[in-house]
Each structure stands twice: as structure tokens, then as C-alpha cells.
Amino acid sequence: MKYNRLLCAGIAVSLLWVSPCPILSNEQNTSYASPAPTKGRAYYEERGDIVWEVPTHRKLIALTFDDGPDVSNTPAILDLLRKYDAKATFFVVGSRVEKLPHLVKREREEGHEIGNHTFLHSSFQHISRNKALSELDQGQASIVQATGAGTHLFRPPGGSYNDSLVKLAKEKGLKIILWSWHQDTLDWRKPGVHRIANKVLSNARNGDIVLMHDFVHHSTQTVEALKIILPELKKRGYSFVTVSELLSNREKPDGLIEVNK
């Protein structure tokens, strides 16, 4: 009986240490595991440390694109945005910016916003301060080199964050921008054009920040989905704005603690 009790206790302890998230094999999948913050969303959101969406009565939506630029998808997306008089925010990876600086320059010249998405798209779940600092600084430098100006927006790969990263972002003058939980299109999984489009259209709300990607290896599903999303939301009366424009239309909710000036 004593042996059985000890065996059960050992199994229980082992189960407590099993990670709830699967170990994924490639960089893109690994970086999009669930974030593991040290405090809940409400703590950071109330202080303005991290933005998931923006409370507003105006019919405004911010489309955001991660991991680019890409030699084919990025120009196609820019052409569609121009066709529908839409502005967006591109969270770029510095190592890709260095290879395709003209596309990032075009993004800014056409009125879109650029955000820092690190230099190598390294996961921030287990990262030293020095490595995180290097990722931020090199990412910023690549944007400056391509466009002549830096950015004040930062999106950590996979949405991973903690107190240390929030503090570091503040030190570097960066605002952490994530996305509306109901507007994660999961387009990097290549779920199909209509699934991507339906995710956005079925959940569209004022102040949404939509997560998409302009770099998904061997996939044009996001481009094709935008051909459905843009005209439909425009017909519903929505305007597509940059993250900074969305923030400028923010209506202060009850209980907001203004500490991140």
C-alpha cells in the first residue's frame, strides 16, 4: 500500500511538469506557441504596457502583417491595400529587411506603418536580456537603413512577453503590440483562403487588430483572402488604419491606469 501511494505521488508530480504545449519542429510553428506572461493580460492592458485591441466607437480596424517582407506576397498585398484605400502595419523581420529593403521603403512611402519584429525572429520565451536587446537593436537598425527612420512599435515573435521584456521595450521607447484574440487568422498554418477570410469577417469589431502574415512559405492564401476581406469590410463601413492611427482614436475605458507615457 505504501509503495502504491508513493508511485501515485510520483506520477502526479511528473504530470505537473508536463508542458501543456507541444514541442514543434520548425521555427515558424515554435514561435507561434501560446504566450506565457508572468502576469495576466488585464495587468498590462490597464497600464498601457501592451496593446491587444483599441476601444473605439468608430468603425476602424488595423490589419497587421508579420514576418516579411516577401518578394511576391508583400507587393501583392501592397497592391490590394492601395486598391481599397487601406493602410496597414507591417511587423518586419530585420534579416529579411536587409535582403528586400526596397519593399519596406515602399511600405512606408505608401503610408503604411513599420513595426519591429526582431532581427532573426527568435523566440522570446527563453531568451537572455543581451540576446533580446540584440534582436531589438538589429531589427531597428535594419528598418532605419531601409527607410531612413525607425519605429516605436514592437511585436515579439509568437506574442511571448514577460515583465523583463515589457521593461526592456520601455527602455528602448517601444510599444508592444499584439493582436485581438478573436482575430488571429492562423494563416501561417495555411488553413485555406475561406477559413482565413471567414475568421476576420465573422469576428470583425471596432478597434480590432488583425494578425496575418505577408511571409508564409509557399503560400498565397493570405493574399487571396484579402481579396475577400477588404471589399466586404469596406462595404460594411470599416476603414483600415495603421496601429498608430487606431491608438489615436482610442476611447479611454473605465479603470484604465495611465502609467506608460
Side-chain angles (χ1 to χ4, degrees):
M1 179 66 70
K2 181 177 180 181
Y3 172 78
N4 288 340
R5 287 199 299 269
L6 291 172
L7 179 61
C8 292
I11 293 172
V13 170
S14 298
L15 289 174
L16 287 174
W17 284 94
V18 174
S19 171
C21 299
I23 298 175
L24 304 173
S25 59
N26 61 63
E27 177 185 349
Q28 193 171 39
N29 286 353
T30 300
S31 64
Y32 283 89
S34 299
T38 55
K39 296 184 178 71
R41 169 174 169 170
Y43 176 87
Y44 297 106
E45 196 165 40
E46 287 175 353
R47 288 157 177 75
D49 292 332
I50 304 175
V51 176
W52 282 264
E53 56 214 8
V54 176
T56 180
H57 292 301
R58 298 188 63 190
K59 301 193 78 169
L60 303 175
I61 286 182
L63 302 177
T64 67
F65 300 92
D66 285 10
D67 295 359
D70 176 75
V71 68
S72 57
N73 284 343
T74 303
I77 288 171
L78 289 171
D79 290 344
L80 283 168
L81 293 173
R82 181 168 53 193
K83 178 179 178 180
Y84 291 99
D85 192 27
K87 303 304 178 189
T89 302
F90 292 84
F91 287 93
V92 297
V93 174
S95 57
R96 299 188 63 82
V97 174
E98 288 189 343
K99 296 174 183 177
L100 300 165
H102 65 286
L103 290 178
V104 183
K105 184 178 180 183
R106 178 184 167 187
E107 289 168 356
R108 182 158 276 171
E109 286 176 345
E110 294 186 5
H112 305 294
E113 190 163 36
I114 312 299
N116 188 338
H117 198 42
T118 74
F119 186 75
L120 293 174
H121 203 268
S122 300
S123 173
F124 272 53
Q125 288 184 327
H126 304 288
I127 191 171
S128 69
R129 176 182 168 86
N130 285 342
K131 174 62 175 173
L133 186 61
S134 174
E135 286 287 317
L136 289 176
D137 285 347
Q138 288 188 76
Q140 184 78 294
S142 71
I143 295 170
V144 173
Q145 183 67 28
T147 69
T151 179
H152 65 283
L153 303 181
F154 169 60
R155 176 174 284 169
S160 299
Y161 60 90
N162 55 32
D163 282 342
S164 297
L165 181 58
V166 169
K167 181 179 179 181
L168 180 59
K170 286 182 179 180
E171 290 173 5
K172 304 302 293 185
L174 296 168
K175 169 81 77 175
I176 297 177
I177 306 295
L178 296 184
W179 55 86
S180 304
W181 284 349
H182 56 279
Q183 288 290 14
D184 183 352
T185 64
L186 299 176
D187 57 346
W188 57 270
R189 291 182 178 173
K190 308 175 190 176
V193 171
H194 288 285
R195 283 197 176 187
I196 296 170
N198 288 338
K199 179 69 172 181
V200 178
L201 296 177
S202 299
N203 296 289
R205 306 174 191 171
N206 298 355
D208 278 353
I209 297 176
V210 180
L211 174 61
M212 292 182 284
H213 297 77
D214 57 329
F215 173 70
V216 179
H217 193 56
H218 289 162
S219 176
T220 60
Q221 290 183 8
T222 302
V223 175
E224 296 304 312
L226 281 171
K227 294 176 182 178
I228 302 170
I229 293 166
L230 288 166
E232 175 58 27
L233 288 183
K234 191 164 186 178
K235 185 169 71 174
R236 295 183 194 179
Y238 284 98
S239 295
F240 305 99
V241 298
T242 66
V243 166
S244 289
E245 288 174 308
L246 190 62
L247 287 169
S248 70
N249 282 275
R250 173 173 160 270
E251 293 161 14
K252 183 178 178 181
D254 294 337
L256 184 70
I257 305 170
E258 295 283 2
V259 297
N260 188 18
K261 299 293 188 181

